[in-house]
Amino acid sequence: MAPFRPPKWRTFSPPPTIVARSLDPWAARDAEGGRECEVRLRRSDGDFQWFLLRHEPLCDPSGAVVRWYGTWINIEDSKQKELLGVAGKRALEMIADGASLSEILNELCSVIDVYASATSQVLLMDRAGHQLLPLAGPNFPPTLTAAFAPWPIGPNRGC
């Protein structure tokens, strides 16, 4: 068996034109007094997450920017809470405007699907209490809806 060898780390130096294009918006934002921004970036696993970017320039004695220093903080959890709070307010507005329960739940399912990277569905119990019927879930695959509905409820099944 071969001995363990740690991986070799590589540094990446993008071409100067890419660096200049990347720093232009920061310089413009810096001139306006902003040193941070929220962006949605794709991680190496392909998942998109929200990050708070903060930056500070290091200047030489003449005031010219020599180097930029920055931090990236993952704010995905707090951003999801914020966006789901907005969805809750939207649901209350829809209720006040007289929207149907199905419309409100479809709106909430759509928000959950986007921000939780999932596909949601709401099933409602029939009046007799014997089965669950689909009520909302605009992005839920119709073939799965057909397979679930109606979903019998019993001692060893359903809720």
Side-chain angles (χ1 to χ4, degrees):
M1 180 180 227
F4 172 76
R5 292 186 188 165
K8 292 183 181 178
W9 296 100
R10 297 181 188 169
T11 58
F12 172 72
S13 297
T17 54
I18 292 177
V19 172
R21 278 198 317 253
S22 299
L23 293 180
D24 284 346
W26 281 29
R29 195 176 294 115
D30 192 40
E32 297 168 3
R35 299 210 183 234
E36 66 181 39
C37 63
E38 293 178 358
V39 295
R40 194 165 171 121
L41 301 172
R42 186 170 57 182
R43 298 186 321 187
S44 61
D45 63 1
D47 189 27
F48 282 90
Q49 300 263 312
W50 282 99
F51 288 87
L52 174 66
L53 307 181
R54 293 184 179 156
H55 67 282
E56 281 293 324
L58 174 66
C59 300
D60 65 12
S62 69
V65 176
V66 176
R67 177 175 286 166
W68 285 95
Y69 290 96
T71 60
W72 301 34
I73 301 169
N74 186 319
I75 57 169
E76 181 67 21
D77 291 340
S78 61
K79 196 67 170 178
Q80 281 188 359
K81 288 177 187 173
E82 174 190 331
L83 295 173
L84 289 175
V86 170
K89 287 180 185 177
R90 172 72 180 123
L92 291 175
E93 290 171 1
M94 291 176 74
I95 291 169
D97 291 341
S100 70
L101 179 60
S102 180
E103 292 171 327
I104 295 165
L105 292 175
N106 273 323
E107 178 76 18
L108 290 174
C109 282
S110 294
V111 170
I112 290 168
D113 292 353
V114 169
Y115 297 112
S117 299
T119 306
S120 59
Q121 184 179 44
V122 176
L123 301 172
L124 187 65
M125 188 178 350
D126 69 351
R127 290 186 188 271
H130 298 296
Q131 59 189 358
L132 297 175
L133 302 169
L135 179 65
N139 301 318
F140 206 77
T143 53
L144 286 177
T145 300
F148 284 133
W151 185 260
I153 300 174
N156 298 317
R157 205 164 177 178
C159 298

